[in-house]
Amino acid sequence: MHDSHRIVSQVKDHDPVIDGPAPHCTEYEHIFFPRLSCLSKTHLEAWIFDAVDPTVDNVAATMTFFRDGTQAVLGKCPIRVTFRASLHDGSKVAGELFAKESIVEVNTETGKVVGKWIGEKKEGQNDAPSAQYEVLLDTSEAVVTLNLPTVQGTLKLRQKGKKDIDTSAESQLMGPGLSWVHAIPRAKAEVDFTFCQEDGQKRLQFNGYGGNDYCRSTESMPDMMEGTTYVRGHAGPYTFALFRLFSRLNPGKTYTRATLVKDDAVLCEMVSDDSVSLTEDYLAFRSTYSGKVKGNYSDHTSGYRVDFVSPARSKHWSFELNHQTLWWSMPTAAPPAKTGNNGFISAVVGGESGEPEHQGMATIVYIQMTALKSDYKGISNRQL
C-alpha cells in the first residue's frame, strides 16, 4: 500500500509461497526496499550488515534480514533475521529471530526507509521481539536495532551520502540467478550490543568499519551455486568488498562482484569472471593454505590474496588475508557429507603497490553446497 509520501511492503510468515517467479515491486525502487512483492519457492531477498574492529583480533558482528521463500520448502520460517557476534573475550554469540511478519516502509517526507521484522510476543514479554533497519534514502546512515530476549542494541553505519544506486535488474545481476550489490561498501561503524545469557550479561562495544550488501536470487541455493565466498576487508583507508559465486547453473564458471574503496572514493567496481585484461580493470583472487587457522569440512584454506588491477591507470592494489579465528562452522548436509558454511575473522595487510602497507581486519564467509541437491537441509535453525 502507499499514499503520496509512504510506500509499504508487508509479508507475513503464513502468506502463500508461490511456485513461479515472484513479481517485482515497481512502486518504489531503492536498494533497501524489497524488489520482490511476495514469497516464492525459488526466490529470496536479503540485506546483510557487518562490522569489525580493524585494530584488534576476534571482534566483529554480522546480521542478515531475510525474505526467503526457499526456506518454506525446507519447512522453515521464510522471514527471519540471523545474528552473530565475536566478543573481546573470544566467546561467540549466535541465533535467529523467526518473524511473524516483515514490514518495510519508505517515507519520502522523512527521507528514510525502515524495515522491521517482528516475532511472536510470548507470555511475560512486554513487547514482541523485533529487529529493524533504518536507512536514510541517500544511504549516508544506517542503523540496525535488535530488541530480542537474548540481545539488545544497535549497529550504526555512517558514510558520505551517495548518489542513487542503479536499481535496474541488469546492473545488479552478477551471475546466473543472482543479483548482488555492495549498497554500503565502506562506513564508519559503532557497535553496542548487550547479551543476556544463562551465566549473566555480556557486552560488545567498539568503533570500527563495516558495510551492507543486498542480494536477490531467482533460484534456490542448491540449484544456483556450488559455493560462495563473501569478504569485506578493511586496511587503513582501504575497504574491499567482494562476493564470489561458483555457479551450478553455468558449471565451471565463477562470477565475482568486487568493489574497492579508499576513504570515500570508489577506486574499482566490477563484475569479474576471473579473466585478465590489458585494458579493463580486473580482479585476481587466490586461496592460500599455509596459515594455522582453517575451516572445517572440506574447506582447507587459511586465507586469500586479493588483487585489484587497473591497466589503463597503471594501478595495482594487493591485499593478503590470513584467518585469525574460525567464527562459526555449520554443515550444509548431514554426516557423512563434508560440506558446510565457515565464517572467519581475518587479518588484512596491503594497499597500493609501491606504497607503505596498511593493516586491518576482515569478515569472511565461505559456503560449500552439497554434491546432491536433495541433501541440502539449510544452514542454520537456531532461535534468539
Side-chain angles (χ1 to χ4, degrees):
M1 65 178 178
H2 62 91
D3 56 29
S4 59
H5 301 295
R6 295 172 58 249
I7 305 98
V8 178
S9 170
Q10 183 176 22
V11 171
K12 297 185 178 181
D13 65 334
H14 58 267
D15 285 352
V17 181
I18 66 174
D19 289 322
H24 279 186
C25 175
T26 58
E27 290 152 325
Y28 192 88
E29 293 189 352
H30 190 277
I31 203 66
F32 286 93
F33 190 78
R35 189 67 178 260
L36 305 178
S37 59
C38 67
L39 297 173
S40 162
K41 293 179 182 178
T42 56
H43 286 43
L44 71 84
E45 269 186 298
W47 294 263
I48 305 164
F49 299 83
D50 54 53
V52 66
D53 187 336
T55 64
V56 299
D57 293 348
N58 203 48
V59 177
T62 183
M63 54 220 72
T64 304
F65 292 73
F66 288 96
R67 284 183 171 184
D68 182 1
T70 68
Q71 289 291 299
V73 180
L74 300 172
K76 298 182 178 182
C77 180
I79 308 168
R80 70 193 196 281
V81 179
T82 64
F83 176 85
R84 291 185 174 274
S86 180
L87 281 58
H88 290 85
D89 63 1
S91 61
K92 311 294 190 294
V93 178
E96 287 180 303
L97 167 68
F98 299 112
K100 303 299 290 182
E101 63 178 331
S102 161
I103 303 171
V104 184
E105 176 180 320
V106 170
N107 189 317
T108 56
E109 281 192 324
T110 62
K112 294 180 180 180
V113 54
V114 179
K116 192 168 187 177
W117 273 239
I118 306 168
E120 182 178 6
K121 183 178 178 180
K122 296 182 179 180
E123 186 176 352
Q125 292 180 341
N126 294 326
D127 301 299
S130 65
Q132 173 180 296
Y133 64 75
E134 181 176 333
V135 184
L136 295 182
L137 293 180
D138 68 357
T139 70
S140 61
E141 182 174 295
V143 181
V144 177
T145 303
L146 301 183
N147 182 21
L148 304 167
T150 58
V151 55
Q152 298 85 39
T154 58
L155 162 65
K156 297 179 181 179
L157 299 174
R158 292 187 176 90
Q159 65 169 0
K160 283 191 175 180
K162 297 177 62 179
K163 62 181 176 59
D164 291 338
I165 295 171
D166 191 344
T167 57
S168 66
E170 294 78 11
S171 69
Q172 295 180 5
L173 187 69
M174 61 160 286
L178 182 66
S179 297
W180 195 281
V181 182
H182 302 310
I184 302 176
R186 173 184 170 93
K188 292 182 179 179
E190 297 177 22
V191 173
D192 191 353
F193 289 106
T194 300
F195 309 101
C196 304
Q197 300 177 312
E198 292 182 357
D199 57 350
Q201 285 192 348
K202 290 188 177 182
R203 190 174 184 184
L204 176 63
Q205 188 175 30
F206 67 87
N207 293 331
Y209 287 95
N212 165 269
D213 283 12
Y214 164 77
C215 77
R216 180 177 69 253
S217 79
T218 57
E219 303 287 343
S220 65
M221 288 180 64
D223 288 331
M224 180 177 60
M225 65 179 69
E226 293 184 358
T228 62
T229 304
Y230 169 85
V231 179
R232 193 185 317 275
H234 311 275
Y238 294 100
T239 291
F240 53 97
L242 62 89
F243 184 87
R244 287 173 64 79
L245 170 71
F246 305 91
S247 180
R248 185 166 271 166
L249 295 174
N250 198 347
K253 295 290 186 179
T254 301
Y255 305 90
T256 306
R257 171 81 69 180
T259 303
L260 174 65
V261 178
K262 184 178 183 182
D263 295 320
D264 298 306
V266 176
L267 300 176
C268 294
E269 193 169 13
M270 70 188 80
V271 173
S272 168
D273 61 0
D274 288 351
S275 298
V276 174
S277 174
L278 296 177
T279 56
E280 302 296 324
D281 293 354
Y282 68 90
L283 178 81
F285 184 92
R286 285 161 284 180
S287 298
T288 57
Y289 300 92
S290 59
K292 295 181 179 180
V293 177
K294 300 182 180 183
N296 291 325
Y297 312 110
S298 58
D299 176 24
H300 301 299
T301 61
S302 62
Y304 304 103
R305 175 173 171 140
V306 181
D307 291 89
F308 291 84
V309 184
S310 179
R313 291 177 285 172
S314 299
K315 294 285 189 178
H316 180 190
W317 301 269
S318 180
F319 302 91
E320 296 276 355
L321 296 96
N322 188 22
H323 299 335
Q324 299 298 296
T325 184
L326 180 59
W327 192 354
W328 68 77
S329 189
M330 300 177 289
T332 52
K338 295 182 179 180
T339 58
N341 171 358
N342 290 318
F344 302 94
I345 303 174
S346 305
V348 181
V349 177
E352 185 174 354
S353 295
E355 294 188 351
E357 290 185 328
H358 301 276
Q359 296 183 344
M361 300 298 294
T363 54
I364 296 174
V365 181
Y366 174 79
I367 300 175
Q368 186 178 25
M369 298 302 296
T370 57
L372 295 177
K373 299 176 186 178
S374 58
D375 287 342
Y376 177 66
K377 304 302 180 185
I379 295 173
S380 178
N381 201 28
R382 286 183 283 183
Q383 187 163 0
L384 283 169

